[in-house]
Amino acid sequence: MQLSSFRLISAAISILLLAVLVTVILVAIRDNTSTALSIATPTQSIALATAASSEATLAAAPTLSADTIEAVTPTPEKTAGVTAPAAAEIEAAPATETATATALATDTVSIDLEAEPAQTPEATAIIVPDAATPTPEVTPIRPTFDPELGPTVEIFSNANFVNGVASLRSTLWAATGGGVVAWNKTTGSYVKFTTLDGLSANRTIAAVVCPLPGLGILFAGELGIQIFDTQNGSWKMLNSSNSTLRNEDVSTLWCSVEDGLLVVGYAQEGMDLFNARQGVWSYIGPDEGFTASAIRDIAVVDGGATIWLATPNGLVVYREGETTTYTTENSPLADDRIEALAADGAGAIWLTSADALYRTDGEEWDSYGANGGDFPSGRLTGLDVSSDGAIWIGSDQTHLCRFDPGVEGCIGFYREEEGMATAPLTSVMIDSDGSVYYTTAGGGISVFDGTNWRQLVIPDEATPGNTIRHLTQASDSALWLAGNGGATRYAPDSDTPIQNYTPANSPLPSINVNVIFPTATGVWFGTGGVTFFDGVTWTTYSADDGLTGTVVQAMAADAQSRIWIGTNAGLSIWTGATFFNLTSSNGLPSEDITALQRDGDAVWIGTRNGGLLRFQDNQLQLFNRSNSSLPGDTISALTQTANGELLIATDQGLARYAGNQLTIYQGLAGQAITALAAAPSGELWVATRTNELLSFNGLEWTPAPTDQLPDPEITSLLVDSDGLLWIGTAQGGLARYSP
């Protein structure tokens, strides 16, 4: 009986000891797990701590009054014993696009890093892995066009902005800002060539017929020399990568079959000479003591031995390896800027500068101007001398004169006659049959046959100019374009598909329009001031009316329908009766306003070198590189996605603001974004300063083809309501990409 009792007691003790041991092991497992998880997520704690401090600062922002608006700067604080780093140091890692995010309005979550683990007896170590971060599945957005096939490209440009012409038999070849145009001199019919037809870029600056070996009809441009081969009707390019040309930025050309010489002038510096008899190219530049740049015109005499060049810094002559420059300091010139020049049969040089005409051989000078008789007013921008000695000059005010040095005046003077284009004159050319042509910036070409003037102009060109500064779509689906030729409303399905607005046909005060903002009651045009057109009446506001700044760069409307106008000297808010201005004196870190975007009851303000501001509830909150993860302090564009997220293009990359978080797209880190658009599908489009066009499908950035763009430099992007991509360029016009 005693033995049985002893065994029973021993068994009970064993069971009790086993229970204690199991309890100790479970406590150890619990403590180890808690410690591992609390250490695994410090980044989360810091991000949320920063968020709380930003929210607290926003709440403390002052109320807007007419006297002052103070910028609010988020200040990092300490939370739960952890020092929150600057927002720019915080890194988050979404699954689809590596990004840096700053939480701005989220409750703080405290994670205790100081808990002491319970003391446990020795046991087998149990390693609990870090908590796995769930990876959301992202479905790629269907692209606008098939990446393999590429887009269908359409080009819209204005070939009535003509820079120069060249004549070959029955065809007049025009170098324009919108492509090359071949005009039939007799019938007035034409063929227009753009990048879709083989040009490398639409903008051509000068034209010359040069039937030397391997050449043809040559057109100068920023990418080199574009050559039309008259034998097979094809285009080819001559530049530094496929020839011995030193540079690409060709500004003018001169060719003589008799001398076997082609002279190529550059915008940067120097010139190239092609000796066709020897088949040799030679560059004349700083090493040879030749520093001329921005060469505007060329004349050659003495069988190619003496080369005269028109530049903004004087008249340059290159002879036998020596260079001489004539300026206001060592010649009768009244202005160093030489507009045009030509040689006469005696080897003398005729040139225009400011409002005067000059003749020189390098030793003697004669000058001519208005002496009481008829003479062109304005700058003399065109000049040519015919083989029989006839001299024609023209001014930027489109006054034409046949000049006779014998009477020191015009023996023929023409202005505002039927058939004369009225746009600013850019060049004059005398054909072999004596016909006189002058080119204009926007009015095409006019030709004089000795009796009558006749205009060569392409009707209904779809762009106001070839510099497209802004694209937008109105609520009626009409597309609006702003540029260097005015403004255009493009509505192909309407009774008037193309409506151009210029100072010539409307009260628009300037031909240079920077931004357009259509509203339900009318359209605002941003120029040197701001103009509103309600369909009947035009009203223009300037600094005299209270507008701040002289150049309007951005516009938006807030929830109260007030018009926000960003200028180069501050922000003006039109209340319907007066302007309320924001400048550096009442809160703006930079007065150079580059972008505006409404976001519900808030308005976002982009600046140059001053960061991004949000105006909401009479508070102005500042985001910059110092207090947030904003990639750059110069904002080039703002737009909203279909789901309301704000996209921010900067000089250092692209960011997204959503859910009170600012997220950087790491795939574009450090890149200057020049244009930005968001498609209804969610696809994003950006253009960069390095002339890239990229699309984002939610997972990755993909380069889009740009070889058929009218110009490499993209200035504006728009995805219309049909999902088509419109691309505005700096000098070549507009392109449309469609599937």
Side-chain angles (χ1 to χ4, degrees):
M1 183 68 178
Q2 291 180 347
L3 181 58
S4 298
S5 299
F6 176 78
R7 289 178 177 174
L8 183 60
I9 292 171
S10 298
I13 292 173
S14 298
I15 292 172
L16 180 61
L17 289 174
L18 181 60
V20 170
L21 179 60
V22 170
T23 300
V24 170
I25 291 173
L26 290 175
V27 170
I29 292 173
R30 181 200 63 193
D31 289 342
N32 287 340
T33 303
S34 174
T35 302
L37 291 176
S38 63
I39 294 173
T41 56
T43 302
Q44 178 185 6
S45 174
I46 295 169
L48 295 175
T50 307
S53 67
S54 297
E55 179 67 17
T57 307
L58 176 59
T63 301
L64 173 67
S65 69
D67 299 321
T68 181
I69 296 179
E70 295 182 359
V72 180
T73 303
T75 304
E77 297 179 354
K78 292 183 179 181
T79 303
V82 180
T83 301
E89 300 173 1
I90 303 169
E91 295 187 359
T96 60
E97 170 75 15
T98 305
T100 300
T102 303
L104 298 177
T106 310
D107 292 338
T108 300
V109 176
S110 177
I111 299 176
D112 188 1
L113 301 180
E114 306 299 327
E116 296 184 3
Q119 298 296 320
T120 60
E122 291 184 8
T124 302
I126 300 175
I127 301 175
V128 180
D130 293 343
T133 301
T135 302
E137 292 186 5
V138 177
T139 302
I141 299 166
R142 183 177 180 180
T144 300
F145 53 84
D146 189 321
E148 297 295 329
L149 299 177
T152 298
V153 182
E154 296 172 84
I155 299 295
F156 305 86
S157 64
N158 194 325
N160 292 320
F161 284 76
V162 189
N163 298 310
V165 291
S167 177
L168 178 63
R169 296 186 289 273
S170 63
T171 304
L172 183 75
W173 292 87
T176 86
V180 170
V181 181
W183 288 94
N184 184 294
K185 297 178 187 177
T186 304
T187 66
S189 60
Y190 65 90
V191 176
K192 179 179 175 180
F193 300 90
T194 70
T195 50
L196 297 182
D197 305 298
L199 293 181
S200 297
N202 274 359
R203 184 172 188 254
T204 50
I205 304 167
V208 66
V209 176
C210 191
L212 297 176
L215 301 177
I217 304 172
L218 312 184
F219 298 87
E222 282 85 357
L223 301 181
I225 301 174
Q226 304 197 80
I227 304 173
F228 184 75
D229 189 335
T230 58
Q231 299 298 318
N232 56 28
S234 63
W235 290 92
K236 62 182 178 180
M237 191 72 185
L238 197 66
N239 54 36
S240 62
S241 64
N242 63 10
S243 72
T244 56
L245 281 182
R246 180 59 61 95
N247 298 314
E248 266 76 43
D249 56 335
V250 180
S251 55
T252 190
L253 299 162
W254 182 93
C255 180
S256 170
V257 175
E258 181 181 355
D259 297 329
L261 180 66
L262 170 66
V263 183
V264 180
Y266 291 113
Q268 292 182 8
E269 62 181 10
M271 62 180 174
D272 259 312
L273 308 180
F274 175 58
N275 187 321
R277 294 168 183 166
Q278 300 176 5
V280 175
W281 286 88
S282 56
Y283 175 71
I284 312 298
D287 291 345
E288 292 76 27
F290 184 86
T291 58
S293 60
I295 299 171
R296 300 174 57 83
D297 205 356
I298 300 171
V300 180
V301 297
D302 302 330
T306 304
I307 302 173
W308 295 83
L309 306 109
T311 81
N313 303 308
L315 175 66
V316 178
V317 58
Y318 179 78
R319 181 189 295 114
E320 297 179 355
E322 298 292 330
T323 301
T324 303
T325 302
Y326 297 98
T327 67
T328 55
E329 296 182 355
N330 63 355
S331 75
L333 289 171
D335 192 319
D336 286 342
R337 181 182 175 89
I338 311 301
E339 298 287 353
L341 53 79
D344 63 20
I349 298 299
W350 293 83
L351 62 139
T352 61
S353 178
D355 59 355
L357 173 68
Y358 300 87
R359 179 188 183 276
T360 185
D361 59 7
E363 299 293 335
E364 302 293 331
W365 287 78
D366 297 310
S367 60
Y368 309 92
N371 56 4
D374 288 330
F375 196 82
S377 300
R379 294 191 68 90
L380 299 180
T381 51
L383 163 69
D384 200 10
V385 179
S386 69
S387 58
D388 63 0
I391 302 168
W392 282 81
I393 56 176
S395 72
D396 57 359
Q397 296 185 23
T398 325
H399 297 174
L400 273 293
C401 161
R402 179 172 180 177
F403 185 80
D404 186 343
V407 300
E408 298 187 0
C410 300
I411 58 174
F413 183 74
Y414 308 89
R415 66 177 179 182
E416 298 179 359
E417 296 195 13
E418 184 178 355
M420 292 185 68
T422 57
L425 183 146
T426 55
S427 74
V428 172
M429 189 275 289
I430 305 174
D431 206 350
S432 58
D433 64 359
S435 298
V436 178
Y437 294 85
Y438 72 84
T439 64
T440 70
I445 305 165
S446 283
V447 55
F448 183 61
D449 61 8
T451 304
N452 299 309
W453 289 94
R454 177 168 55 97
Q455 191 173 5
L456 303 175
V457 62
I458 300 177
D460 299 326
E461 287 285 65
T463 63
N466 296 297
T467 296
I468 308 300
R469 298 192 176 101
H470 184 235
L471 297 167
T472 190
Q473 190 172 28
S475 57
D476 62 359
S477 298
L479 184 73
W480 284 89
L481 293 75
N484 66 336
T488 294
R489 180 181 184 270
Y490 180 66
D493 296 330
S494 68
D495 294 335
T496 52
I498 299 175
Q499 291 177 281
N500 291 315
Y501 298 91
T502 70
N505 65 6
S506 74
L508 196 67
S510 173
I511 199 169
N512 291 306
V513 182
N514 300 320
V515 59
I516 297 176
F517 186 68
T519 70
T521 58
V523 181
W524 293 83
F525 303 86
T527 58
V530 64
T531 298
F532 179 68
F533 178 51
D534 64 5
V536 177
T537 304
W538 294 78
T539 307
T540 296
Y541 304 95
S542 65
D544 294 338
D545 304 296
L547 181 70
T548 183
T550 58
V551 180
V552 175
Q553 302 175 149
M555 286 190 282
D558 63 17
Q560 300 180 43
S561 298
R562 296 174 297 192
I563 303 300
W564 292 57
I565 304 165
T567 78
N568 61 336
L571 181 64
S572 292
I573 304 172
W574 175 248
T575 64
T578 187
F579 287 107
F580 174 74
N581 294 330
L582 296 176
T583 63
S584 58
S585 64
N586 53 7
L588 291 184
S590 168
E591 294 181 338
D592 197 348
I593 308 302
T594 56
L596 293 166
Q597 176 65 48
R598 177 186 171 184
D599 182 8
D601 59 355
V603 175
W604 292 91
I605 306 163
T607 73
R608 192 182 313 277
N609 297 321
L612 177 69
L613 299 106
R614 178 172 61 180
F615 183 88
Q616 187 173 28
D617 298 329
N618 287 341
Q619 298 173 3
L620 196 63
Q621 184 181 15
L622 171 66
F623 300 82
N624 57 32
R625 296 187 68 182
S626 299
N627 67 13
S628 73
S629 58
L630 191 70
D633 285 338
T634 291
I635 312 301
S636 56
L638 297 170
T639 194
Q640 272 190 314
T641 64
N643 59 5
E645 297 177 344
L646 179 73
L647 298 177
I648 308 156
T650 80
D651 60 336
Q652 293 294 321
L654 180 68
R656 181 182 72 245
Y657 181 83
N660 288 328
Q661 283 194 334
L662 194 62
T663 305
I664 297 175
Y665 288 88
Q666 295 292 353
L668 298 175
Q671 295 201 53
I673 309 300
T674 60
L676 171 66
S681 64
E683 187 179 23
L684 306 184
W685 289 91
V686 300
T688 72
R689 189 169 295 164
T690 55
N691 299 335
E692 287 185 293
L693 177 63
L694 305 168
S695 66
F696 184 66
N697 66 355
L699 291 174
E700 60 184 355
W701 292 97
T702 303
T706 58
D707 56 304
Q708 290 186 316
L709 285 182
D711 182 69
E713 184 180 348
I714 298 172
T715 55
S716 52
L717 294 171
L718 171 73
V719 180
D720 66 19
S721 54
D722 294 325
L724 304 181
L725 176 67
W726 296 81
I727 306 167
T729 68
Q731 299 186 115
L734 179 69
R736 181 171 66 184
Y737 280 13
S738 57

